[in-house]
Amino acid sequence: SKTTSLTNINPPPAVATDSIQPREPQIQVESKTISGVASVLSRVPARISWQTLLISAYSIGLVYMLLRFITGLILVRRIVKTALPVNDASLLNTIKQIASRAEIKTPLISESSLVQIPFAFGTNRIILPSHWTNWNEDLLVSVLAHESAHLRRRDSWINLIGLANRAFYWFHPGAFLVFRNLSQAAEEVCDRVAVEWTGQSQKTYARNLLKVIEPLQNVHRFQLVGGIAMARTSKISRRI
């Protein structure tokens, strides 16, 4: 009887295997993401070469120095452009005599409130500070003779070349040393020439030089780019 009851039990219904859809594996999506990241990382260098670092450092320094150089030129050009011509008869007569002695074309004399010390610009421009009217005759003669010597030597152009060289070779201490020594030598030569042209004693000229440099501490360095100032060097003791 037990055997008969077991045979009467209906078997479980068969499950259709076609109705069960397999689930998409998530690993395919993750695999695509990983492969994309790996592709990006493969284009990034494992390390930056020392050549790249050197070129980057040089470029940053060059851009900085050129910006200073160009900014200085713009400021000097502004000073020269806005300077007012000097029509004082006595001063014009003095500069004509000095120019004749120097065998150069008579410079154009202008004044500007933007500068505190005189400087030569280009081949025939001398810019005086607006307070030049307070100078005595000896001091004025010393200044005009000194700046005329710079014009004769074309020191403005040499100054520009030196500044450009310093900008491109900013990483080399020699570029700064050469520029400083050339500037110092130019000042000393013009001092000697000015004393010779004016007939002043060295003591008188030195006293005039000290009077000129009194306001030098307020002068912005960019005002001297492209121009040769009578007292732009800090080593005044060597000149007097």
Side-chain angles (χ1 to χ4, degrees), residues 67-94:
L67 284 176
R68 288 184 56 186
F69 178 67
I70 295 173
T71 303
L73 285 178
I74 293 174
L75 291 177
V76 171
R77 293 291 298 179
R78 178 191 172 195
I79 293 172
V80 174
K81 186 176 180 179
T82 59
L84 302 176
V86 175
N87 298 317
D88 183 81
S90 177
L91 183 147
L92 296 179
N93 182 59
T94 300

Side-chain angles (χ1 to χ4, degrees), residues 16-82:
T17 57
D18 294 339
S19 63
I20 301 176
Q21 299 294 331
R23 187 177 180 182
E24 291 289 337
Q26 296 296 328
I27 190 171
Q28 294 181 359
V29 178
E30 295 176 358
S31 177
K32 292 180 179 180
T33 303
I34 294 174
S35 63
V37 174
S39 177
V40 174
L41 292 178
S42 65
R43 294 193 293 266
V44 179
R47 61 178 182 177
I48 301 176
S49 64
W50 64 269
Q51 294 95 335
T52 302
L53 291 175
L54 286 179
I55 293 175
S56 300
Y58 173 77
S59 300
I60 293 173
L62 177 62
V63 169
Y64 171 74
M65 295 297 291
L66 287 178
L67 284 176
R68 288 184 56 186
F69 178 67
I70 295 173
T71 303
L73 285 178
I74 293 174
L75 291 177
V76 171
R77 293 291 298 179
R78 178 191 172 195
I79 293 172
V80 174
K81 186 176 180 179
T82 59

Side-chain angles (χ1 to χ4, degrees), residues 91-101 106-107:
L91 183 147
L92 296 179
N93 182 59
T94 300
I95 191 61
K96 285 181 180 180
Q97 294 178 4
I98 294 175
S100 177
R101 182 69 182 272
T106 303

Side-chain angles (χ1 to χ4, degrees), residues 79-80 83-86 91-92 94-96 98-99 102 104-112 115 117-129 132 135 140-152 156 197 227-230:
I79 293 172
V80 174
L84 302 176
V86 175
L91 183 147
L92 296 179
T94 300
I95 191 61
K96 285 181 180 180
I98 294 175
I104 61 173
K105 182 180 178 180
T106 303
L108 302 176
I109 310 297
S110 304
E111 63 178 9
S112 174
V115 296
I117 56 176
F119 71 93
F121 180 82
T123 58
N124 69 332
R125 294 292 300 271
I126 295 177
I127 310 298
L128 301 177
W132 71 268
W135 296 346
L140 184 60
V141 169
S142 298
V143 169
L144 295 178
H146 182 94
E147 300 305 331
S148 296
H150 279 306
L151 294 178
R152 181 181 180 180
S156 290
W197 287 349
I228 301 295
M230 181 177 180

